[in-house]
Amino acid sequence: MQSNTSIMVPQPENPLLARWAGPYGGVPAFDKVQVAHFKPALEEAMEQARREIAVIADNTAAPDFENTIAAMDDAGRTLDSVSTIYSVWASTMNGPEFKAIEREMAPKLAAFEDEITQNEKLFRRIEAVYNSPDKAKLTPEQQRLVWLRYTNFVRAGARLDTAAKKRVAEINERLASLYTSFSQNVLGDEEQYAVILESEADLAGLPESIRAGAAAAAEARGQKGKWAITNTRSAMEPFLTYSARRDLREKVWRNYVNRGDNGDARDNNATITEVLKLRAERAKLLGYATHAHWRLENAMAKTPERAMALMEAVWTPAVARVREEVADMQAIADKEGAKLKIAPWDYRYYAEKVRKSKYDLDQNEVKPYLQLEKLREGMFWVAGELFGFSFEPVSGVPVYHPDVRVWEVKDKATGRHIGLWYFDPYARPGKRSGAWMNSYRQQERFRGEVTTIVSNNSNFVKGQPGEPVLISWTDAETLFHEFGHALHGLNSQVNYPSLSGTSVARDFVEFPSQLLEHWLSTPEVLNRFALHYQTGKPIPAELVARITKASTFNQGFGTVEYLSSALVDMKLHLAGDRQIDADAFERDTLKALGMPEEIVMRHRTPQFGHVFAGDGYSAGYYSYLWSDTLTADAYEAFTEGKGAYDRDVAERLRKNVFSVGNTLDPADAYRSFRGKDAGIDALMRKRGFPVPGAATQKKAK
């Protein structure tokens, strides 16, 4: 006879919900994570956060900074921890099982965010603190946090009526689903499409390092003995640069630029149309003319018009430079009897020939000196010189994939623990393309000293076992760029986690990262760390001189490729509630801009993850140019001083920019470092473009 009493089987504890244990103030238990853990962990963490927010909202005591604003920085810590690991899987371990959970949870997480920002009682308490005369007695950092909380709630719709709040929440849930679909579609196209090279003839022009990487990629796809050019930027760019096979260059190029735009189940055009329509509707509900006006209100640029003015000022000289670059390339093609007109899949190939002709510089000559691991050591050395950091490899810290390694960061002078740096350098299935920095844990002093955990992620193609990975100069710059973000996080010295590290305006966050790129080309780095992978000898001084001489080479291409994406992004979001056909809008906008036909956007609209896989860089891709105006001007502070390793300038940089997070307005932070605002002149000098007004000034003298 069966009993009606059910037996309670103890459920194993979900490791995602446990506090981070172990050394260094606790570390993520990546080794215990199973995909099945994510949904229950996220749901339980949201419930915990709801209870913690309810305690703040229902508090009967008069609202003040501690019981409302600071308390909010203490709420939702479990959800933060779970979301961190969830985002790591989304970007680096995104297999079929995880994709299903991501599709289900994205709208639920968006709904939860709206639940918080639309909590009437909670907002009234925040508003009371914001309007209280006692606010003047708070520290500047506390006042900044009050401002941030209040404005973020207002911008999210806290002041709207019930019906408008409901509609904003519906829009946000739908957008979350669309963003997930968009990114999964692009990842699907990156994983599915590859050009398989069958014979030695298909390898014409390719250096050994690219051949080795392609052989390893083919073997990973079950095609041992062949070569695979996968559909990622890190595989596409070097192939287009060196392959002598024009037919194969075109094939690889078309695979790459058509991601999300193949008219199949993964086509993103309809998704983009809906995203733009919903963003426009949300902006109007929130009281803004367009999505672009909403996004830029709290950025350094403040208005789309200011961002557009900067982009247009740079666009014209950049296009003029492209015309010169194309003429140089066409001349070489004609001289070789190639009987072709330069097309987008030819640009990189013939640019290399021009580089060789004009500057006697062949990237194949440089690449043997650019070993990934040596450059990583070079980054560590720069961090030591500028900020006094040391990096020591650690073992026993759990990682989510065998490729990932971990270093402890310390203060060189005192041995004090600063944080942890995780490095995930290689491409693999389930990992999105590109390079990025993550913050796993924000630095804070709010409830005792909490140190940061940061990571850098790349997509370098692995070579054969035991062989060093050789990378291009552009990839080396990207490596330093992302490490700049990491150093921004590691230098943080603030009290409240919401203001910590890289939690700054979108058009300011790229400033520290772009700035660090300058140190790659310093003789101190090249002489110590640009060592030939076979001989171990440092890069010759005369080769460094040629690299320096060619520093502004191909800036027309680089600037136009980037700026076309930034301009299309902004114009899409200034179009308001117009029905947008993404392909047609892109084509018509580029034609009106006078886009050179030999170049395509760095990120075509159907694969523009910065803009359509989330709100992050939407109407904000201009940020890289805005930040680079600061970068160029800031580096001149070093060159005007004692050089790239001027300790006094580095200390001013650390004190006023790298350590302060979002505790003050970024324009004020920059002025404190530089003593002035950054104009456009240094940017134009850096890119080798004419400086506005320079000719007139010369004449006047």
Side-chain angles (χ1 to χ4, degrees):
M1 185 175 165
Q2 286 186 326
S3 166
N4 289 329
T5 309
S6 60
I7 300 170
M8 294 296 292
V9 179
Q11 295 297 312
E13 186 183 352
N14 191 321
L16 289 173
L17 293 167
R19 283 186 67 128
W20 291 1
Y24 313 112
V27 294
F30 286 131
D31 57 332
K32 295 180 178 159
V33 175
Q34 295 173 20
V35 173
H37 292 142
F38 281 113
K39 182 185 172 185
L42 285 166
E43 289 174 339
E44 173 55 32
M46 282 190 279
E47 279 304 315
Q48 280 187 36
R50 278 190 186 97
R51 293 192 291 270
E52 291 159 0
I53 290 294
V55 169
I56 300 168
D58 296 338
N59 192 343
T60 55
D64 60 25
F65 178 82
E66 284 300 326
N67 68 22
T68 303
I69 306 298
M72 285 189 67
D73 255 34
D74 219 16
R77 289 189 182 270
T78 300
L79 181 57
D80 287 344
S81 298
V82 175
S83 297
T84 291
I85 299 175
Y86 177 73
S87 71
V88 170
W89 253 251
S91 57
T92 69
M93 303 285 285
N94 200 325
E97 192 185 351
F98 183 85
K99 283 183 172 73
I101 291 167
E102 195 179 23
R103 286 191 294 270
E104 181 182 356
M105 295 309 298
K108 292 183 179 180
L109 289 164
F112 174 78
E113 289 293 320
D114 285 322
E115 191 182 317
I116 304 300
T117 55
Q118 294 184 7
N119 184 316
E120 186 72 22
K121 287 192 288 186
L122 181 63
F123 176 63
R124 291 300 163 211
R125 292 185 67 84
I126 293 168
E127 188 176 45
V129 179
Y130 179 78
N131 290 324
S132 169
D134 288 343
K135 186 173 72 172
K137 300 174 187 173
L138 299 174
T139 68
E141 182 179 347
Q142 289 171 334
Q143 290 184 46
R144 181 76 175 173
L145 185 57
V146 173
W147 170 83
L148 187 73
R149 284 283 177 213
Y150 175 75
T151 55
N152 282 352
F153 267 64
V154 170
R155 284 168 48 73
R159 282 176 162 169
L160 299 178
D161 61 32
T162 304
K165 281 181 179 175
K166 181 173 182 289
R167 181 57 188 152
V168 167
E170 289 169 354
I171 289 171
N172 288 339
E173 282 187 57
R174 178 59 183 157
L175 283 171
S177 293
L178 292 169
Y179 297 155
T180 301
S181 297
F182 185 96
S183 59
Q184 289 188 357
N185 286 343
V186 175
L187 181 60
D189 276 0
E190 288 174 349
E191 290 177 347
Q192 176 172 329
Y193 291 96
V195 174
I196 304 299
L197 309 180
E198 305 278 351
S199 68
E200 187 70 26
D202 293 343
L203 304 175
L206 297 182
E208 185 51 44
S209 59
I210 296 176
R211 294 179 178 215
E219 188 170 344
R221 297 173 83 92
Q223 303 235 31
K224 190 172 182 180
K226 297 182 182 179
W227 301 264
I229 307 302
T230 55
N231 203 20
T232 63
R233 183 174 293 279
S234 57
M236 175 274 293
E237 284 190 343
F239 186 82
L240 262 56
T241 301
Y242 297 114
S243 174
R245 287 284 300 274
R246 191 176 193 233
D247 57 332
L248 294 175
R249 291 203 306 269
E250 181 177 359
K251 200 171 178 183
V252 168
W253 179 85
R254 289 197 184 279
N255 274 356
Y256 189 77
V257 302
N258 287 329
R259 289 168 300 145
D261 195 24
N262 290 303
D264 56 11
R266 290 195 296 268
D267 191 283
N268 273 330
N269 283 284
T271 299
I272 292 166
T273 300
E274 190 177 354
V275 165
L276 291 168
K277 190 177 177 186
L278 291 171
R279 282 176 174 167
E281 183 186 354
R282 180 177 62 185
K284 282 198 169 177
L285 285 167
L286 294 170
Y288 296 87
T290 69
H291 177 78
H293 289 85
W294 177 61
R295 288 292 299 166
L296 269 72
E297 182 184 44
N298 282 345
M300 280 190 81
K302 304 297 183 192
T303 67
E305 291 75 20
R306 288 188 72 202
M308 284 294 295
L310 173 64
M311 289 191 282
E312 286 167 351
V314 178
W315 176 257
T316 302
V319 169
R321 180 59 53 81
V322 166
R323 302 291 179 217
E324 296 170 11
E325 292 171 3
V326 170
D328 288 342
M329 291 188 286
Q330 191 66 56
I332 285 183
D334 293 347
K335 189 177 178 183
E336 291 180 347
K339 290 188 169 58
L340 59 84
K341 184 178 184 297
I342 300 295
W345 49 91
D346 300 318
Y347 208 109
R348 289 176 175 86
Y349 181 70
Y350 281 99
E352 279 309 298
K353 289 176 178 283
V354 174
R355 194 195 309 264
K356 184 83 173 80
S357 169
K358 273 196 164 185
Y359 300 98
D360 191 26
L361 183 62
D362 184 343
Q363 288 297 335
N364 278 328
E365 198 180 350
V366 179
K367 200 169 183 180
Y369 294 95
L370 301 179
Q371 300 177 62
L372 174 60
E373 291 303 314
K374 287 294 179 188
L375 290 171
R376 175 190 53 71
E377 291 172 19
M379 298 191 314
F380 289 173
W381 183 81
V382 169
E385 292 299 299
L386 295 180
F387 302 117
F389 290 160
S390 67
F391 290 74
E392 297 173 12
V394 295
S395 56
V397 171
V399 293
Y400 52 86
H401 189 277
D403 285 346
V404 182
R405 289 167 290 156
V406 187
W407 281 260
E408 182 186 8
V409 187
K410 292 182 177 180
D411 184 302
K412 254 195 323 190
T414 65
R416 177 175 64 90
H417 174 75
I418 300 290
L420 293 178
W421 183 74
Y422 288 57
F423 189 39
D424 183 2
Y426 302 120
R428 61 176 171 270
K431 185 178 184 182
R432 69 177 172 90
S433 64
W436 65 95
M437 170 264 190
N438 274 137
S439 177
Y440 294 167
R441 182 172 65 209
Q442 300 278 56
Q443 174 273 333
E444 61 173 285
R445 293 171 176 155
F446 174 38
R447 300 287 189 231
E449 187 75 40
V450 175
T451 56
T452 191
I453 301 176
V454 297
S455 78
N456 280 149
N457 311 270
S458 306
N459 268 280
F460 298 112
V461 179
K462 265 187 181 176
Q464 296 295 343
E467 290 291 315
V469 174
L470 303 179
I471 67 176
S472 70
W473 185 265
T474 301
D475 281 340
E477 286 179 325
T478 301
L479 192 68
F480 271 66
H481 175 105
E482 296 304 334
F483 190 60
H485 284 307
L487 290 177
H488 194 181
L490 288 163
N491 272 290
S492 182
Q493 294 182 28
V494 307
N495 292 307
Y496 300 97
S498 292
L499 302 174
S500 181
T502 56
S503 303
V504 298
R506 183 65 72 187
D507 50 9
F508 191 67
V509 76
E510 298 299 337
F511 162 44
S513 55
Q514 287 176 318
L515 182 60
L516 202 80
E517 293 176 29
H518 288 79
W519 274 265
L520 167 63
S521 59
T522 59
E524 292 87 345
V525 167
L526 294 177
N527 291 337
R528 285 176 174 84
F529 303 102
L531 307 179
H532 196 282
Y533 79 104
Q534 289 172 323
T535 67
K537 289 182 179 177
I539 190 168
E542 59 86 20
L543 181 53
V544 173
R546 281 185 276 148
I547 292 170
T548 304
K549 190 179 174 187
S551 62
T552 59
F553 174 72
N554 222 29
Q555 277 293 334
F557 173 82
T559 305
V560 165
E561 185 197 41
Y562 155 75
L563 256 186
S564 55
S565 294
L567 284 161
V568 168
D569 163 40
M570 188 63 77
K571 287 174 180 289
L572 280 166
H573 291 102
L574 286 172
D577 54 8
R578 275 173 51 196
Q579 181 82 359
I580 300 289
D581 175 318
D583 276 348
F585 188 95
E586 177 186 304
R587 185 175 58 250
D588 295 345
T589 301
L590 294 177
K591 185 179 179 183
L593 285 168
M595 176 75 164
E597 61 185 17
E598 299 86 2
I599 299 179
V600 291
M601 298 161 65
R602 182 171 180 82
H603 305 286
R604 285 199 56 240
T605 316
Q607 64 228 207
F608 206 166
H610 286 77
V611 173
F612 294 109
D615 271 339
Y617 280 87
S618 60
Y621 196 60
Y622 79 91
S623 300
Y624 290 92
L625 187 68
W626 190 276
S627 292
D628 207 25
T629 60
L630 306 178
T631 299
D633 184 65
Y635 193 66
E636 288 190 353
F638 284 91
T639 57
E640 289 162 6
K642 297 173 187 172
Y645 297 91
D646 188 319
R647 300 263 167 127
D648 293 337
V649 179
E651 176 55 23
R652 284 207 318 271
L653 185 68
R654 185 203 62 77
K655 180 182 174 184
N656 295 296
V657 175
F658 275 72
S659 69
V660 298
N662 196 12
T663 60
L664 68 164
D665 184 280
D668 293 336
Y670 188 80
R671 278 190 291 269
S672 297
F673 158 65
R674 191 69 169 105
K676 67 181 182 73
D677 289 325
I680 196 175
D681 290 8
L683 174 74
M684 301 303 267
R685 282 191 289 272
K686 175 184 175 183
R687 297 188 181 218
F689 298 159
V691 175
T696 312
Q697 289 166 16
K698 239 181 190 177
K699 258 185 198 174
K701 287 178 183 176

